[in-house]
Amino acid sequence: MNIALIAHDKKKELMVQFCIAYCGILSKHTLCATGTTGKLVAEATGLPIQNYLSGSQGGDQQISARIACDEIDLLLFFRDPITPKPHEPKESDLLRLCDVHNIPLATNIATAEALIHALERGDLDWRNIVNPTKNR
């Protein structure tokens, strides 16, 4: 599966710790991330990650484009719900695209852990059932 990683500044360390904890599962999949998040995760885990621009420079939109083209299967987006962000409208577009394209989305650690365990069990292969002609 193609998994995208995004984390707000105050959640980057949490994303790094999450990826360290679940490195074995994540290593079986193709990862991409916004700039700084991807760099930090790759340095901490050794996982290969395709890095896009930082979120504020358009990395969120690059991942959104991949979602719109059905090239992302799962999004882990650790959001900071407390600190206001100047690019908040772009984030709502990203969340909407996940809904439109039926992309499993975690915006916090609890949901991310539920999804990663489902991924490990093979429970997220439903997308192949819904559209069996897609080669993922």
Side-chain angles (χ1 to χ4, degrees), residues 1-3 25-26 28-29 31 73-74 76 112-125:
M1 291 190 115
N2 295 319
I3 302 172
I25 297 168
L26 293 170
K28 299 173 186 171
H29 302 279
L31 305 176
D73 302 302
L74 175 70
L76 302 178
E113 287 187 331
L115 285 177
I116 206 82
H117 290 298
L119 181 64
E120 182 178 34
R121 290 189 308 268
D123 293 347
L124 296 182
D125 289 339

Side-chain angles (χ1 to χ4, degrees), residues 29-46:
H29 302 279
T30 303
L31 305 176
C32 67
T34 50
T36 308
T37 299
K39 179 179 179 269
L40 292 171
V41 170
E43 286 173 356
T45 63

Side-chain angles (χ1 to χ4, degrees), residues 53-121:
L53 297 171
S54 69
S56 62
Q57 295 177 342
D60 295 352
Q61 290 150 327
Q62 289 176 300
I63 290 176
S64 291
R66 290 201 60 203
I67 290 170
C69 293
D70 286 326
E71 296 173 354
I72 298 293
D73 302 302
L74 175 70
L75 174 60
L76 302 178
F77 182 7
F78 288 5
R79 301 174 68 216
D80 173 9
I82 306 300
T83 308
K85 272 100 20 224
H87 53 285
E88 190 90 32
K90 293 179 221 164
E91 292 172 11
S92 65
D93 291 343
L94 177 61
L95 302 177
R96 182 184 58 76
L97 276 172
C98 287
D99 288 341
V100 168
H101 292 272
N102 290 317
I103 303 301
L105 164 69
T107 59
N108 59 59
I109 189 84
T111 308
E113 287 187 331
L115 285 177
I116 206 82
H117 290 298
L119 181 64
E120 182 178 34
R121 290 189 308 268

